[in-house]
Amino acid sequence: MREVTLRIRHNGEPESEISGRYPDVTIRSVSSMTGRGAERKRIIELSGDAESIPEFLAEFREADAVTEAEPLSPLGKSRVYVALIVDSYSWDSISQRLSDRGIHYRMGTTINDGWERWTVYIEPDDDLSALIQSLEDAGNDVELVRNVALSEVDRPPQLEVTRFLDDLSPRQREVLSTAIGMGYYDHGGDVGVEAVAEELDLASTTVWEHLSRAESKVMAGLADHIGA
């Protein structure tokens, strides 16, 4: 199996077009897409310039394919979590195109300055050129950034290491990600549960409970991976 990183300019789609107008804002998928029929839900993280994020979000809401884009954490911060609902019939999804071809991809895709960054995993009999051509035929610009055998990667494959993170609920993932980003787990740091709770506008007891459950799942997953 090979690990391949692609940069994709998703021409004509709001996540790429609007991102190109706000290069100081980065979009990151925090959860997978859920839902049935036309309505699909996802949690995304907007990070970067605190003053640009509300402007980006206001413009993003106006996109035809976007049904709702409501903040889950306070605006005015350099990191904001957003509950996104899209009309899947109008939303051209790169993840769906990859899934349709049976291609595994890494969660946590980022979009910055109009470019989406995807890491995919292809089998020896998968045709990478055909995959790139199919994305380009859909009107996208595609750049190959990296193409290496997993045996040459000097870390455990991301696909295996983070598989257990799928067990986290969206809220647990949001709270854990915020705590990590704020330095809650830094050795000798002074960020406590109260600071994380204030950042998320949640009660301290609620944050502690989400962190406790998330930590338990993460530790159990790591234990399975390292054979503990």
Short mmCIF file of all heavy atoms in Angstrom, two decimals, residues 48-90:
data_model
loop_
_atom_site.label_atom_id
_atom_site.label_comp_id
_atom_site.label_asym_id
_atom_site.label_seq_id
_atom_site.Cartn_x
_atom_site.Cartn_y
_atom_site.Cartn_z
N GLY A 48 -7.24 30.44 12.62
CA GLY A 48 -6.47 31.50 11.97
C GLY A 48 -6.78 32.85 12.57
O GLY A 48 -6.96 32.98 13.79
N ASP A 49 -6.88 33.86 11.73
CA ASP A 49 -7.12 35.23 12.18
C ASP A 49 -8.52 35.35 12.78
O ASP A 49 -9.52 35.10 12.10
CB ASP A 49 -6.97 36.19 11.01
CG ASP A 49 -7.20 37.63 11.42
OD1 ASP A 49 -6.49 38.13 12.30
OD2 ASP A 49 -8.13 38.25 10.85
N ALA A 50 -8.59 35.75 14.04
CA ALA A 50 -9.87 35.81 14.75
C ALA A 50 -10.85 36.79 14.13
O ALA A 50 -12.06 36.60 14.20
CB ALA A 50 -9.63 36.16 16.23
N GLU A 51 -10.34 37.85 13.51
CA GLU A 51 -11.22 38.83 12.90
C GLU A 51 -11.76 38.37 11.55
O GLU A 51 -12.84 38.78 11.13
CB GLU A 51 -10.48 40.17 12.73
CG GLU A 51 -10.10 40.82 14.05
CD GLU A 51 -9.45 42.18 13.85
OE1 GLU A 51 -9.31 42.60 12.67
OE2 GLU A 51 -9.08 42.81 14.85
N SER A 52 -11.02 37.51 10.87
CA SER A 52 -11.44 37.05 9.55
C SER A 52 -12.44 35.90 9.61
O SER A 52 -13.24 35.71 8.69
CB SER A 52 -10.23 36.60 8.73
OG SER A 52 -9.35 37.66 8.49
N ILE A 53 -12.40 35.12 10.69
CA ILE A 53 -13.26 33.93 10.78
C ILE A 53 -14.75 34.29 10.69
O ILE A 53 -15.48 33.65 9.93
CB ILE A 53 -12.95 33.13 12.06
CG1 ILE A 53 -11.58 32.46 11.91
CG2 ILE A 53 -14.03 32.09 12.34
CD1 ILE A 53 -11.11 31.71 13.14
N PRO A 54 -15.27 35.30 11.43
CA PRO A 54 -16.69 35.63 11.28
C PRO A 54 -17.05 36.07 9.86
O PRO A 54 -18.14 35.74 9.36
CB PRO A 54 -16.89 36.79 12.29
CG PRO A 54 -15.80 36.60 13.29
CD PRO A 54 -14.64 36.09 12.51
N GLU A 55 -16.16 36.81 9.19
CA GLU A 55 -16.42 37.23 7.82
C GLU A 55 -16.46 36.03 6.89
O GLU A 55 -17.31 35.93 6.01
CB GLU A 55 -15.34 38.22 7.37
CG GLU A 55 -15.30 39.51 8.19
CD GLU A 55 -14.14 40.40 7.79
OE1 GLU A 55 -13.49 40.11 6.76
OE2 GLU A 55 -13.89 41.38 8.50
N PHE A 56 -15.50 35.12 7.08
CA PHE A 56 -15.50 33.90 6.29
C PHE A 56 -16.80 33.13 6.49
O PHE A 56 -17.43 32.68 5.52
CB PHE A 56 -14.30 33.02 6.68
CG PHE A 56 -14.31 31.66 6.05
CD1 PHE A 56 -13.63 31.44 4.86
CD2 PHE A 56 -15.01 30.61 6.62
CE1 PHE A 56 -13.64 30.19 4.26
CE2 PHE A 56 -15.03 29.36 6.03
CZ PHE A 56 -14.35 29.15 4.85
N LEU A 57 -17.20 32.96 7.75
CA LEU A 57 -18.38 32.17 8.07
C LEU A 57 -19.64 32.80 7.48
O LEU A 57 -20.51 32.10 6.96
CB LEU A 57 -18.52 32.04 9.59
CG LEU A 57 -19.61 31.11 10.11
CD1 LEU A 57 -19.45 29.70 9.54
CD2 LEU A 57 -19.59 31.08 11.64
N ALA A 58 -19.73 34.12 7.54
CA ALA A 58 -20.90 34.81 6.98
C ALA A 58 -21.01 34.57 5.48
O ALA A 58 -22.10 34.32 4.95
CB ALA A 58 -20.81 36.31 7.27
N GLU A 59 -19.89 34.60 4.79
CA GLU A 59 -19.89 34.36 3.34
C GLU A 59 -20.16 32.89 3.04
O GLU A 59 -20.86 32.55 2.09
CB GLU A 59 -18.57 34.80 2.74
CG GLU A 59 -18.58 34.80 1.22
CD GLU A 59 -17.36 35.48 0.62
OE1 GLU A 59 -16.67 36.23 1.35
OE2 GLU A 59 -17.09 35.25 -0.57
N PHE A 60 -19.61 32.02 3.85
CA PHE A 60 -19.78 30.59 3.65
C PHE A 60 -21.25 30.19 3.79
O PHE A 60 -21.74 29.33 3.04
CB PHE A 60 -18.92 29.84 4.68
CG PHE A 60 -18.70 28.39 4.35
CD1 PHE A 60 -17.96 28.02 3.24
CD2 PHE A 60 -19.21 27.40 5.18
CE1 PHE A 60 -17.74 26.68 2.95
CE2 PHE A 60 -18.99 26.07 4.89
CZ PHE A 60 -18.25 25.71 3.77
N ARG A 61 -21.95 30.82 4.73
CA ARG A 61 -23.38 30.53 4.94
C ARG A 61 -24.21 30.82 3.70
O ARG A 61 -25.26 30.21 3.49
CB ARG A 61 -23.93 31.39 6.09
CG ARG A 61 -23.64 30.89 7.48
CD ARG A 61 -24.59 31.55 8.46
NE ARG A 61 -24.23 31.27 9.84
CZ ARG A 61 -23.62 32.12 10.63
NH1 ARG A 61 -23.28 33.32 10.16
NH2 ARG A 61 -23.34 31.81 11.87
N GLU A 62 -23.78 31.78 2.88
CA GLU A 62 -24.55 32.20 1.72
C GLU A 62 -24.39 31.27 0.52
O GLU A 62 -25.09 31.42 -0.48
CB GLU A 62 -24.15 33.63 1.32
CG GLU A 62 -24.41 34.67 2.39
CD GLU A 62 -25.87 34.71 2.79
OE1 GLU A 62 -26.74 34.69 1.89
OE2 GLU A 62 -26.15 34.74 4.02
N ALA A 63 -23.47 30.31 0.60
CA ALA A 63 -23.26 29.38 -0.51
C ALA A 63 -24.52 28.54 -0.74
O ALA A 63 -25.19 28.13 0.22
CB ALA A 63 -22.06 28.49 -0.23
N ASP A 64 -24.84 28.29 -2.00
CA ASP A 64 -26.07 27.57 -2.34
C ASP A 64 -26.15 26.19 -1.69
O ASP A 64 -27.23 25.75 -1.28
CB ASP A 64 -26.19 27.43 -3.86
CG ASP A 64 -26.42 28.76 -4.56
OD1 ASP A 64 -26.89 29.71 -3.87
OD2 ASP A 64 -26.14 28.86 -5.76
N ALA A 65 -25.01 25.50 -1.61
CA ALA A 65 -25.03 24.12 -1.10
C ALA A 65 -25.06 24.06 0.42
O ALA A 65 -25.28 22.99 0.99
CB ALA A 65 -23.81 23.35 -1.61
N VAL A 66 -24.85 25.19 1.10
CA VAL A 66 -24.79 25.21 2.56
C VAL A 66 -26.18 25.51 3.14
O VAL A 66 -26.75 26.57 2.88
CB VAL A 66 -23.77 26.25 3.07
CG1 VAL A 66 -23.81 26.32 4.59
CG2 VAL A 66 -22.37 25.89 2.58
N THR A 67 -26.71 24.56 3.90
CA THR A 67 -28.02 24.75 4.53
C THR A 67 -27.89 25.49 5.85
O THR A 67 -28.65 26.42 6.14
CB THR A 67 -28.69 23.38 4.78
OG1 THR A 67 -28.79 22.67 3.53
CG2 THR A 67 -30.09 23.56 5.36
N GLU A 68 -26.91 25.08 6.68
CA GLU A 68 -26.64 25.74 7.95
C GLU A 68 -25.15 25.69 8.23
O GLU A 68 -24.46 24.75 7.84
CB GLU A 68 -27.39 25.07 9.11
CG GLU A 68 -28.88 25.24 9.11
CD GLU A 68 -29.53 24.63 10.34
OE1 GLU A 68 -28.81 24.44 11.35
OE2 GLU A 68 -30.72 24.32 10.29
N ALA A 69 -24.67 26.71 8.92
CA ALA A 69 -23.28 26.74 9.40
C ALA A 69 -23.28 27.52 10.69
O ALA A 69 -23.11 28.74 10.70
CB ALA A 69 -22.35 27.37 8.37
N GLU A 70 -23.52 26.81 11.80
CA GLU A 70 -23.70 27.45 13.09
C GLU A 70 -22.53 27.18 14.03
O GLU A 70 -22.13 26.02 14.23
CB GLU A 70 -25.00 26.97 13.75
CG GLU A 70 -26.25 27.31 12.95
CD GLU A 70 -26.38 28.81 12.70
OE1 GLU A 70 -26.05 29.59 13.61
OE2 GLU A 70 -26.80 29.18 11.60
N PRO A 71 -21.95 28.24 14.63
CA PRO A 71 -20.81 28.06 15.54
C PRO A 71 -21.19 27.23 16.76
O PRO A 71 -22.27 27.40 17.33
CB PRO A 71 -20.45 29.49 15.95
CG PRO A 71 -21.07 30.37 14.91
CD PRO A 71 -22.30 29.66 14.45
N LEU A 72 -20.30 26.33 17.14
CA LEU A 72 -20.46 25.55 18.36
C LEU A 72 -19.63 26.14 19.50
O LEU A 72 -19.79 25.75 20.66
CB LEU A 72 -20.02 24.10 18.13
CG LEU A 72 -20.84 23.30 17.11
CD1 LEU A 72 -20.17 21.95 16.85
CD2 LEU A 72 -22.25 23.09 17.61
N SER A 73 -18.72 27.04 19.16
CA SER A 73 -17.89 27.73 20.15
C SER A 73 -17.90 29.21 19.81
O SER A 73 -18.23 29.60 18.68
CB SER A 73 -16.47 27.16 20.15
OG SER A 73 -15.90 27.18 18.86
N PRO A 74 -17.53 30.08 20.75
CA PRO A 74 -17.68 31.52 20.55
C PRO A 74 -16.84 32.05 19.39
O PRO A 74 -15.69 31.62 19.17
CB PRO A 74 -17.21 32.10 21.88
CG PRO A 74 -17.33 31.00 22.86
CD PRO A 74 -17.05 29.75 22.11
N LEU A 75 -17.43 32.99 18.65
CA LEU A 75 -16.67 33.73 17.64
C LEU A 75 -15.72 34.69 18.34
O LEU A 75 -15.82 34.92 19.54
CB LEU A 75 -17.62 34.48 16.71
CG LEU A 75 -18.54 33.63 15.83
CD1 LEU A 75 -19.50 34.53 15.05
CD2 LEU A 75 -17.74 32.77 14.87
N GLY A 76 -14.81 35.27 17.60
CA GLY A 76 -13.84 36.18 18.19
C GLY A 76 -12.61 35.46 18.70
O GLY A 76 -11.72 36.08 19.29
N LYS A 77 -12.55 34.15 18.49
CA LYS A 77 -11.39 33.35 18.89
C LYS A 77 -10.62 32.93 17.64
O LYS A 77 -11.13 33.00 16.51
CB LYS A 77 -11.83 32.10 19.65
CG LYS A 77 -12.73 32.38 20.85
CD LYS A 77 -11.95 32.95 22.01
CE LYS A 77 -12.82 33.06 23.26
NZ LYS A 77 -12.07 33.59 24.41
N SER A 78 -9.41 32.45 17.82
CA SER A 78 -8.60 32.01 16.69
C SER A 78 -8.93 30.58 16.27
O SER A 78 -8.39 30.08 15.29
CB SER A 78 -7.11 32.10 17.03
OG SER A 78 -6.80 31.28 18.13
N ARG A 79 -9.83 29.93 17.00
CA ARG A 79 -10.30 28.60 16.64
C ARG A 79 -11.78 28.51 16.95
O ARG A 79 -12.19 28.73 18.08
CB ARG A 79 -9.52 27.52 17.39
CG ARG A 79 -9.95 26.10 17.04
CD ARG A 79 -9.22 25.05 17.84
NE ARG A 79 -7.82 24.96 17.44
CZ ARG A 79 -6.80 25.40 18.16
NH1 ARG A 79 -7.04 25.99 19.33
NH2 ARG A 79 -5.56 25.28 17.75
N VAL A 80 -12.57 28.20 15.94
CA VAL A 80 -14.02 28.12 16.11
C VAL A 80 -14.52 26.82 15.48
O VAL A 80 -14.13 26.47 14.36
CB VAL A 80 -14.74 29.31 15.43
CG1 VAL A 80 -16.25 29.17 15.54
CG2 VAL A 80 -14.29 30.64 16.04
N TYR A 81 -15.38 26.11 16.22
CA TYR A 81 -15.98 24.88 15.71
C TYR A 81 -17.37 25.20 15.17
O TYR A 81 -18.13 25.95 15.80
CB TYR A 81 -16.03 23.81 16.79
CG TYR A 81 -14.65 23.35 17.18
CD1 TYR A 81 -13.96 23.95 18.23
CD2 TYR A 81 -14.01 22.34 16.47
CE1 TYR A 81 -12.68 23.55 18.58
CE2 TYR A 81 -12.73 21.93 16.81
CZ TYR A 81 -12.07 22.53 17.86
OH TYR A 81 -10.80 22.14 18.18
N VAL A 82 -17.70 24.60 14.04
CA VAL A 82 -18.93 24.94 13.35
C VAL A 82 -19.68 23.66 12.97
O VAL A 82 -19.08 22.71 12.43
CB VAL A 82 -18.64 25.74 12.06
CG1 VAL A 82 -19.93 26.01 11.28
CG2 VAL A 82 -17.93 27.05 12.41
N ALA A 83 -20.98 23.63 13.26
CA ALA A 83 -21.85 22.53 12.82
C ALA A 83 -22.33 22.87 11.42
O ALA A 83 -23.06 23.84 11.23
CB ALA A 83 -23.02 22.36 13.78
N LEU A 84 -21.92 22.07 10.48
CA LEU A 84 -22.20 22.34 9.07
C LEU A 84 -23.24 21.35 8.54
O LEU A 84 -23.12 20.14 8.75
CB LEU A 84 -20.91 22.22 8.25
CG LEU A 84 -20.99 22.40 6.74
CD1 LEU A 84 -21.39 23.84 6.40
CD2 LEU A 84 -19.66 22.04 6.09
N ILE A 85 -24.26 21.86 7.88
CA ILE A 85 -25.25 21.03 7.20
C ILE A 85 -25.26 21.45 5.73
O ILE A 85 -25.40 22.64 5.43
CB ILE A 85 -26.66 21.17 7.80
CG1 ILE A 85 -26.65 20.81 9.29
CG2 ILE A 85 -27.65 20.29 7.05
CD1 ILE A 85 -28.01 20.98 9.96
N VAL A 86 -25.10 20.48 4.83
CA VAL A 86 -25.07 20.80 3.41
C VAL A 86 -26.13 19.98 2.67
O VAL A 86 -26.58 18.93 3.14
CB VAL A 86 -23.68 20.52 2.80
CG1 VAL A 86 -22.61 21.33 3.52
CG2 VAL A 86 -23.35 19.04 2.82
N ASP A 87 -26.49 20.49 1.51
CA ASP A 87 -27.36 19.76 0.59
C ASP A 87 -26.46 18.88 -0.28
O ASP A 87 -25.75 19.39 -1.15
CB ASP A 87 -28.15 20.75 -0.27
CG ASP A 87 -29.07 20.07 -1.27
OD1 ASP A 87 -28.99 18.82 -1.40
OD2 ASP A 87 -29.82 20.77 -1.96
N SER A 88 -26.45 17.59 -0.02
CA SER A 88 -25.52 16.70 -0.70
C SER A 88 -25.77 16.63 -2.20
O SER A 88 -24.87 16.27 -2.97
CB SER A 88 -25.60 15.29 -0.11
OG SER A 88 -26.89 14.73 -0.32
N TYR A 89 -26.99 16.99 -2.64
CA TYR A 89 -27.27 16.96 -4.06
C TYR A 89 -26.60 18.13 -4.79
O TYR A 89 -26.40 18.08 -6.00
CB TYR A 89 -28.79 17.01 -4.32
CG TYR A 89 -29.54 15.82 -3.75
CD1 TYR A 89 -30.88 15.91 -3.40
CD2 TYR A 89 -28.90 14.59 -3.56
CE1 TYR A 89 -31.57 14.82 -2.87
CE2 TYR A 89 -29.58 13.50 -3.03
CZ TYR A 89 -30.91 13.62 -2.69
OH TYR A 89 -31.59 12.55 -2.18
N SER A 90 -26.25 19.18 -4.02
CA SER A 90 -25.59 20.35 -4.61
C SER A 90 -24.11 20.41 -4.26
O SER A 90 -23.37 21.19 -4.84
CB SER A 90 -26.26 21.64 -4.12
OG SER A 90 -27.64 21.64 -4.43
#
